[in-house]
Structure formats: C-alpha cells, structure tokens
Amino acid sequence: MNVLVLGAGQLARMMALAGAPLNLTISAYDVRSGNVVHPVTLEVLGRGLEHGIANADVITAEFEHIAPDVLRLCQDSGKFYPGEEAILTGGDRRKEKALLDKAGVNNARYQVIENRADFDNAIARIGLPMILKSALDGYDGKGQWRLKSADQADDVWQDIEAFLTASHQADRQCVIAEEFVRFDREVSLIGARGQDGNLAIYPLTENIHTDGILSVSVSANENAALQAQAESMFDAVASALDYIGVLAIEFFDVNGTLMVNEIAPRVHNSGHWTQQGADVCQFENHLRAVCGLPLGSAKRVRPTAMVNIIGEVTVPTSIMPLAHVHWYDKAPRPGRKIGHINVCASSQSELGEHLKALSTHLSVDEFPALLEAAEKLNQEA
Ligand code: ATP
Ligand code: MG
C-alpha cells in the first residue's frame, strides 16, 4: 500500500520507518516546495500534489497547519484520514474550542478576540492573569501572549493588533483568550481509533516544557482514575470527529481533575516514548488505523522517558549504552527539534536513575528538564 503524508518532517520520517515492516510505502508531500519526496532521504519523487494523490492508496497528515485548498483536494480523493475536518479543527483554536464544548469535555474558559472591545470584554469576564493564543499557526508556544496585570493591557493589545494585521491569513486569523490554569502538571494521552471504531489507547505520559517547548515526556506510573478520565474524554472527542488515526490530547492535571489544553490530529512528540516503551508504537498504530488494518496493542511494556534534542546541541556517543537515539537528519537551529532520546528501565526508580546517569553526559543548559524529570521519578517511586 502507498501512503502519502502531508508534511515531510520527522513525523513522516518515523512513519516511514515504522511502516516498512508492514510493506507500507510512505511518501511525503513537502508543502513548502510542492514536491513529493522520500520521507527519509528527502529525494524528490515527483512534483505536485495531484501526482502524489494519484499514486496514493491512503493520505494522511503529520501536521495541522496545511492550506485549506490542499486539504480540500485530499478530501475530494476519498482517501484522506483523519480527514479535512479533523485537520482543520486541530489547526484552528476557534474550531478546536468549539469541538471540546460540543464533545462536553472540561477545558479552560475562553473568548474569541477580533478587536479591542472583545479584548476588554475578555479581561472583565475571564479575569487576570490570562493567556492569549493565535487561532492559527501556533506551535511550540509561538503566537502566545501572557497578560498578568491590567497595566500591561495596552502594550499586549498593541502586540496582538500588529500580529493580526501582519498575519498572512488575516481574514481567518484571530486570538483566543483563555483563563490561566494553575495546573499541578501536564499530561497527554495518545490513542488510535481504527476504521472499525476500535480504540488502542496508550497510558498517560507526563510532559515537562521549557520555554513553551516539550523537553521531556515520561510514561512510567499507573493512575487508574486519571487514565479513566483521560480515556473517556478521548472517546468523546474522537467520536465527535468520527476520527480515524492517532489522536493526541494534552491535558492540565488540576488536583486530580483533567482539563483539555489542546488536541493534535496526528502522531505527537509526547508519544515518541512508544517506540521503545510500548508493544506497538504510535507511528505503526497510526498507519494501521488509516490503512484499515487491525490496531496493535498499546500496552506499555516498560517505563520509558523521551528527551528532546533541541537546537544547536551536541550529544556524545557515550550516552548510547543508556539510550535509544533517534536523529531526524535536520540542520541544527536554535529552538528546532532535531532528534530525541528514549530511555527505558524496568521500574520507575530505575528510570529516575537512568535519567540521572544520562544527565552526567549532557549539558544542563541544553537539557534543562532532565534532572527535574529524574527527581520527580525518584519522589514518586
Ligand atoms: P504545542 O507545541 O504543544 O502545539 P502550542 O504552541 O500549541 O504548543 P499550547 O500547548 O496551547 O501551545 O501552550 C503551550 C504551553 O503553555 C502549555 O504546554 C502550557 O504549559 C502553557 N499553557 C497553555 N495554555 C495555558 C493556560 N490556559 N493556562 C496556563 N498555562 C497554559
Ligand atoms: Mg501544546
């Protein structure tokens, strides 16, 4: 089977690596160049989306910021999973918030902001501190503003107004104001929904962010009550979208009650631990779902942590006895994810020790959340 992935980044690459044993041939549509490329070598295989669609049995996506006309063409082919509506929803916080409300899942209070009157209204209704996020194009904490006190309101509004005017999608762009949630921690749930409606859901993973970017994700402990909450929200959201494929949901854990932060209609960075930590990884399960194959077990086989390699950093080969290193073959740039490290153990406390040992080989500045993750594991064990 030939699968075309919209987007030619590391997620398409890892889908290709996971799909090979199933005889699935993955190609990737690079939205910037308009070329269809090999997702691992980036060799150009053909030119133009029509060519890619014609050669594909199935089409899927590795990211959600895709032009509406591209999504439309894919949808019209009848081969596209999870499909136009799911990708549009993941790429537009306005639609995403409406979906969460429709599915009846707990999420932060919000208001859509298009002008200064909406902004002032949101401050009065939601209260401060408040977080503001662009509806379109946000990722890794980009396109966000924090409003802590009323005296900052004019400055923050000036920034937002300039941003809205400069947006290349000015007609569709807006900002969502959200109540600031004082969460204890952030967790996410990755799961697959098959064409038959069956689900394969992984255990929750805990995420540590640094400067708005995911730094470390740890899947190690069991919390049956939290898992049950997360799974029921997953079911509600996936059913509301009639979803097929892997779906990721990011949550805030507020004293044992989960609140959805956002969803991603695709394989997700916080699911990379499944490559070494689960029976069948998220990339394979995504492909199984979109290709109409039976899903594989999402059981965690051992406590596992994923550590992102971000920016212009060096990683010595001395870590290799402790770790599975996944490079993306990308040129290092500040803030850019260029690889990740999976670390496995037989118990939670051993995972903490392994992360601590790993940290002795790596720079604290380059891997700021590593020790924090290790300490958390040791406290919980
Ligand atoms: P991603 O790379 O996950 O797509 P993003 O840019 O889409 O990130 P969010 O996940 O919405 O943005 O926000 C980034 C981070 O900002 C969150 O992980 C969380 O730490 C913090 N954050 C977001 N919304 C809120 C909120 N309402 N209250 C408190 N903190 C928040
Ligand atoms: Mg996020």
Side-chain angles (χ1 to χ4, degrees):
M1 248 189 193
N2 292 322
V3 180
L4 177 72
V5 182
L6 302 178
Q10 66 264 27
L11 301 178
R13 174 187 171 96
M14 289 186 275
M15 275 186 227
L17 297 173
L22 297 177
N23 266 357
L24 299 173
T25 304
I26 319 296
S27 54
Y29 177 68
D30 181 346
V31 295
R32 268 164 306 205
S33 67
N35 288 329
V36 176
V37 301
H38 188 284
V40 179
T41 63
L42 301 185
E43 177 199 347
V44 177
L45 304 173
R47 168 99 206 124
L49 183 60
E50 286 80 1
H51 162 84
I53 292 175
N55 283 323
D57 300 301
V58 168
I59 303 168
T60 189
E62 66 147 20
F63 76 133
E64 52 275 37
H65 304 301
I66 299 171
D69 55 324
V70 170
L71 295 176
R72 183 69 327 195
L73 271 179
C74 293
Q75 188 67 22
D76 288 345
S77 75
K79 307 171 183 175
F80 188 27
Y81 301 102
E84 182 182 31
E85 188 54 26
I87 303 296
L88 284 172
T89 304
D92 184 339
R93 288 192 198 274
R94 202 173 357 188
K95 283 175 91 59
E96 186 178 1
K97 282 296 216 178
L99 167 74
L100 298 177
D101 290 344
K102 178 181 153 204
V105 299
N106 193 18
N107 67 95
R109 279 187 305 133
Y110 69 101
Q111 185 169 319
V112 177
I113 295 187
E114 286 170 356
N115 51 47
R116 178 74 199 233
D118 296 338
F119 179 70
D120 291 335
N121 200 343
I123 296 173
R125 209 174 56 85
I126 295 174
L128 299 182
M130 190 165 83
I131 186 154
L132 298 118
K133 307 178 180 180
S134 69
L136 307 173
D137 300 331
Y139 71 99
D140 286 348
K142 294 190 176 66
Q144 293 197 3
W145 302 263
R146 311 238 160 156
L147 180 58
K148 293 190 180 122
S149 55
D151 59 312
Q152 299 172 326
D154 286 340
D155 287 348
V156 170
W157 174 251
Q158 261 186 23
D159 275 4
I160 292 178
E161 201 175 29
F163 170 84
L164 289 175
T165 317
S167 173
H168 68 287
Q169 303 193 76
D171 51 330
R172 292 173 59 231
Q173 186 62 284
C174 71
V175 163
I176 309 293
E178 257 180 45
E179 75 177 286
F180 191 87
V181 179
R182 292 178 203 284
F183 54 79
D184 301 309
R185 55 194 195 118
E186 294 187 77
V187 295
S188 55
L189 192 75
I190 313 294
R193 188 166 181 271
Q195 293 189 4
D196 51 8
N198 281 347
L199 298 178
I201 301 181
Y202 296 93
L204 282 165
T205 179
E206 178 168 352
N207 301 321
I208 304 176
H209 294 84
T210 310
D211 300 330
I213 306 184
L214 181 65
S215 208
V216 177
S217 184
V218 181
S219 186
N221 61 3
E222 295 297 337
N223 182 330
L226 222 54
Q227 183 75 23
Q229 271 185 60
E231 289 193 11
S232 93
M233 292 198 231
F234 181 96
D235 197 10
V237 172
S239 304
L241 277 173
D242 203 11
Y243 196 86
I244 291 166
V246 161
L247 170 73
I249 306 187
E250 296 179 14
F251 299 96
F252 300 131
D253 174 358
V254 187
N255 204 9
T257 298
L258 292 183
M259 196 181 242
V260 174
N261 171 28
E262 59 170 356
I263 65 163
R266 55 172 167 82
V267 289
H268 193 257
N269 194 177
S270 69
H272 293 358
W273 67 270
T274 63
Q275 289 171 310
Q276 267 74 45
D279 249 340
V280 172
C281 76
Q282 64 164 350
F283 301 100
E284 181 174 334
N285 260 332
H286 180 69
L287 290 170
R288 289 188 188 213
V290 298
C291 293
L293 299 167
L295 300 180
S297 155
K299 193 172 175 288
R300 182 171 59 220
V301 292
R302 48 188 179 169
T304 301
M306 190 279 324
V307 182
N308 269 334
I309 307 173
I310 301 168
E312 295 166 305
V313 308
T314 48
V315 175
T317 52
S318 60
I319 68 160
M320 289 181 76
L322 281 166
H324 298 260
V325 185
H326 299 256
W327 290 111
Y328 308 154
D329 202 14
K330 282 168 114 179
R333 270 207 305 267
R336 189 179 207 200
K337 294 172 182 165
I338 59 167
H340 68 271
I341 301 165
N342 282 340
V343 181
C344 303
S346 55
S347 68
Q348 204 168 324
S349 59
E350 190 186 61
L351 186 58
E353 279 156 29
H354 284 182
L355 289 182
K356 220 160 129 192
L358 184 70
S359 73
T360 63
H361 298 260
L362 300 170
S363 136
V364 191
D365 295 337
E366 293 171 352
F367 295 88
L370 202 47
L371 273 179
E372 183 185 337
E375 270 156 31
K376 269 189 162 189
L377 278 162
N378 287 336
Q379 277 163 16
E380 284 165 15

